Amino acid sequence: MAGAPRKKMVGRYEVGWTIGHGSFGKVKFAVDADMGVPVTMKVLDKTTILNQRMLQQVAAPPSPSLDPSTLSSSH
């Protein structure tokens, strides 16, 4: 008898299935466990990023316009 599948957590996000993939990684469906809000999560391949010398591009802080806490539901 198998138990319930374990939930994969990354920080406060419950990671689900793969939505798509590309040269640098995958895009996953996830849910913010605190708020219950569905989100997408880009999972980058560390080796590819380092080999392509793209660390500065992916290590930059996210744009404030993309920060979910600044978005209003009145849009």
Side-chain angles (χ1 to χ4, degrees), residues 3-57:
R6 292 191 61 198
K7 296 178 182 177
K8 175 148 184 173
M9 299 295 291
V10 175
R12 69 176 198 223
Y13 299 96
E14 181 181 331
V15 181
W17 63 90
T18 300
I19 296 171
H21 56 87
S23 304
F24 297 104
K26 298 177 181 178
V27 177
K28 298 270 195 176
F29 173 82
V31 175
D32 182 324
D34 295 337
M35 306 285 287
V37 177
V39 297
T40 56
M41 176 182 290
K42 187 178 276 189
V43 181
L44 302 173
D45 179 51
K46 184 177 180 178
T47 303
T48 303
I49 298 301
L50 293 174
N51 287 343
Q52 298 292 324
R53 297 187 174 123
M54 295 181 63
L55 188 58
Q56 288 289 17
Q57 291 170 288

